[in-house]
Amino acid sequence: MILFLSIVSAVVYGQDNYQLSTHVLNIAAGGNGEGVKVELFKLDPKSNNWTKVDEKTTDARGRITDFLANQRGGNKGVYKLVFHTKSYFEKNRTKTFYPFIEVAFEITDDAHYHVPITLSPYGFSTYKGS
């Protein structure tokens, strides 16, 4: 049974092929943050410049499960996710204080990283998920 659940989890969340996922939870509305544009950037340690790696939109469950395809040696480095929250809240006829949210983090190995945010029009929080 445990093996079955592990396989289902890997398939559902894309953890078997991708190293990074995210999830937007709208705690003000009590639901998922569907339709949030999220950009992924990587920091070049030599130039100290950010390079855009990918851009996706959260699904009906508020998730993006397929950032950073797994590769040999992993995707080590400093990254940031930029959540475009203003357009999300405008679609829901809600004013927000934050037009976007940047979350920087470091990938240090080849493990799966889950970087979710909880969101409201006037606040947000993030944590290292599993």
Side-chain angles (χ1 to χ4, degrees), residues 33-50:
E34 179 181 2
V36 178
K37 181 174 95 171
V38 183
E39 295 175 300
L40 174 65
F41 294 84
K42 184 174 185 181
L43 182 64
D44 180 332
K46 292 180 182 173
S47 69
N48 211 32
N49 291 322
W50 293 99

Side-chain angles (χ1 to χ4, degrees), residues 43-96:
L43 182 64
D44 180 332
K46 292 180 182 173
S47 69
N48 211 32
N49 291 322
W50 293 99
T51 301
K52 187 173 180 179
V53 175
D54 207 347
E55 176 183 316
K56 298 184 183 290
T57 302
T58 56
D59 64 15
R61 298 177 311 132
R63 295 181 180 271
I64 298 172
T65 60
D66 57 351
F67 273 135
L68 290 179
N70 283 330
Q71 56 183 324
R72 191 173 187 181
N75 293 290
K76 294 177 184 172
V78 175
Y79 293 85
K80 71 176 173 181
L81 290 169
V82 179
F83 298 85
H84 293 269
T85 53
K86 183 176 182 176
S87 57
Y88 165 74
F89 280 116
E90 285 176 343
K91 282 188 295 188
N92 292 295
R93 296 183 179 95
T94 304
K95 291 184 179 183
T96 182

Side-chain angles (χ1 to χ4, degrees), residues 19-20 41-43 45 50 68 75-81 103-115 128:
Q19 191 172 8
L20 177 64
F41 294 84
K42 184 174 185 181
L43 182 64
W50 293 99
L68 290 179
N75 293 290
K76 294 177 184 172
V78 175
Y79 293 85
K80 71 176 173 181
L81 290 169
V103 178
F105 55 95
E106 185 172 12
I107 292 179
T108 58
D109 54 29
D110 61 354
H112 181 82
Y113 285 72
H114 184 63
V115 183
K128 182 181 180 195

Side-chain angles (χ1 to χ4, degrees), residues 95-127:
K95 291 184 179 183
T96 182
F97 183 69
Y98 300 102
F100 61 89
I101 297 166
E102 293 185 343
V103 178
F105 55 95
E106 185 172 12
I107 292 179
T108 58
D109 54 29
D110 61 354
H112 181 82
Y113 285 72
H114 184 63
V115 183
I117 63 169
T118 57
L119 177 65
S120 74
Y122 296 97
F124 67 92
S125 182
T126 186
Y127 55 96

